[in-house]
Amino acid sequence: MSDGASLNHLPRLSITRHGRVETFNGSWYRGEHTNFIPSKADLKEPDALERYLLHGWLPPTPFIGRTAPITAFGSCFAAHVAEYLAQRGYAVHGRHLDVHAHIIRFGEGIVNSFAILQQFEWALEGKPMPDNLWHGPNKEIAPVDPAIRDETRAIIQSTDVFIITLGLSEIWYDKRNGEAFWRAIPASDFDESIHGFRISTVEENRANLTRIVDLIRKWRPEAHVIFTLSPIPLMATFRPVSCLTANSVSKAILRVAVDELMRERAADARLHYFPSFEIVKEFLTDPFDADNRHVRPEVVMRIMMAFEKHYCVAE
């Protein structure tokens, strides 16, 4: 009997999940870890979020206490994270302080990994940054000010938990030095000889994330670092393709970069990924407001309640 014929006679696998029997071909080697895609019925089970989304990503035990200083910044979804934790009584930097650090004042608008890395290198390593590179939400210039740099350094050096939310991989950059802008360029400032647009790569973003973790490990070796990917899509793309397809690429680049980082640094017990992106895109039904961009408040609450349950110490 040929090997192929032998495989055809292997028994089929029957798996019982929540009282339902599902059958799979038994001729395929399943490996040490096999996690099947959940059915629609599976996703309705009370523990579906933990079983089918959070499985493999959760810390062994919660570690964020009420007094642990938290810094949350990155994309606009970071604002939801910071607001929820602050309302729940956690020690989120900048909630009760009059601070000027950009990671606090504009923390939800530093949306790409290049801009996030700039803040760490500028504050911790004293990297010179050009003027007029950073813009706030009202198109105001966020200054390269030594006092703000010192304040940013003090915040980072007192942080026990970093929650960094990645937003997009489309970037505008300065053609003269290659540095990325936080956002698009104000129309009144645009100069074709200076301002360029491009799609950053998985490798570039993975390198940025690796550098961010390395700097945190150098300056705050015991700190926890939690990466998330914002589920909020692009408002618009500057590519000559549809925004929906461009957004899929933008998020995929970042998600792969994070995954590569997590696999490379699997031995780092204080490095985490929380799948807020997948909860919105793969688990919840109709998660967005009418604009099809902003996440509905009850969805944010569902995500943050899951985060608090598994990451925050019950007190």
Side-chain angles (χ1 to χ4, degrees):
M1 183 179 294
S2 69
D3 290 342
S6 299
L7 290 175
N8 289 333
H9 286 81
L10 288 175
R12 295 177 68 80
L13 301 177
S14 293
I15 297 176
T16 301
R17 297 194 292 191
H18 299 288
R20 295 180 298 277
V21 178
E22 299 183 27
T23 303
F24 300 89
N25 193 321
S27 64
W28 300 102
Y29 175 65
R30 301 294 175 180
E32 182 180 356
H33 303 288
T34 302
N35 294 287
F36 293 95
I37 191 167
S39 66
K40 290 183 178 180
D42 291 329
L43 292 177
K44 294 179 181 179
E45 296 296 333
D47 62 348
L49 183 59
E50 282 76 16
R51 287 172 61 88
Y52 303 117
L53 263 296
L54 302 181
H55 174 68
W57 299 107
L58 295 177
T61 57
F63 56 82
I64 304 177
R66 297 277 180 185
T67 61
I70 301 168
T71 298
F73 74 104
S75 84
C76 49
F77 195 75
H80 292 309
V81 176
E83 181 178 359
Y84 176 90
L85 293 176
Q87 289 179 350
R88 295 287 293 161
Y90 292 91
V92 179
H93 270 305
R95 296 293 104 178
H96 306 293
L97 298 174
D98 181 18
V99 296
H100 300 282
H102 302 324
I103 61 174
I104 302 300
R105 292 190 64 212
F106 309 116
E108 74 280 7
I110 306 176
V111 296
N112 62 71
S113 68
F114 299 83
I116 294 170
L117 176 58
Q118 286 170 359
Q119 291 299 301
F120 282 98
E121 291 185 324
W122 177 58
L124 299 177
E125 305 282 282
K127 178 181 177 180
M129 298 303 300
D131 293 324
N132 302 327
L133 184 67
W134 302 331
H135 293 88
N138 298 314
K139 302 177 180 62
E140 70 274 31
I141 294 294
V144 181
D145 185 314
I148 295 177
R149 182 188 61 205
D150 293 344
E151 188 175 58
T152 305
R153 181 189 304 115
I155 289 171
I156 292 173
Q157 290 182 325
S158 64
T159 296
D160 288 344
V161 181
F162 294 90
I163 304 175
I164 299 173
T165 304
L166 306 172
L168 50 84
S169 53
E170 293 189 1
I171 63 169
W172 285 90
Y173 68 97
D174 191 321
K175 294 179 179 179
R176 298 167 297 182
N177 50 45
E179 291 288 354
F181 294 94
W182 289 356
R183 309 166 183 268
I185 310 302
S188 59
D189 295 340
F190 181 76
D191 183 334
E192 189 173 358
S193 67
I194 296 175
H195 303 119
F197 170 80
R198 67 184 182 88
I199 314 302
S200 60
T201 67
V202 170
E203 175 56 29
E204 286 177 311
N205 284 280
R206 186 202 59 77
N208 290 342
L209 301 183
T210 298
R211 175 67 171 153
I212 290 167
V213 174
D214 287 343
L215 286 171
I216 292 173
R217 289 288 165 261
K218 176 180 177 180
W219 293 88
R220 294 293 290 169
E222 301 302 313
H224 286 269
V225 183
I226 305 170
F227 283 107
T228 68
L229 177 59
S230 172
I232 299 175
L234 293 170
M235 179 181 292
T237 182
F238 297 96
R239 299 178 60 188
V241 300
S242 67
C243 187
L244 290 174
T245 58
N247 181 69
S248 293
V249 173
S250 180
K251 298 296 186 182
I253 287 171
L254 295 174
R255 186 61 188 89
V256 173
V258 174
D259 201 69
E260 289 188 353
L261 172 72
M262 296 303 297
R263 285 183 279 120
E264 291 170 1
R265 299 294 180 95
D268 187 342
R270 291 182 171 83
L271 179 63
H272 314 273
Y273 173 71
F274 179 69
S276 55
F277 175 78
E278 288 87 347
I279 293 173
V280 171
K281 300 293 286 185
E282 304 291 346
F283 182 67
L284 298 176
T285 303
D286 192 22
F288 294 105
D289 278 334
D291 64 1
N292 203 33
R293 185 167 185 266
H294 290 96
V295 179
R296 292 189 288 116
E298 58 269 32
V299 171
V300 174
M301 183 63 66
R302 179 76 181 275
I303 293 170
M304 291 311 305
M305 288 175 65
F307 180 91
E308 184 178 15
K309 176 182 177 181
H310 296 289
Y311 286 81
C312 300
V313 178
E315 297 178 357

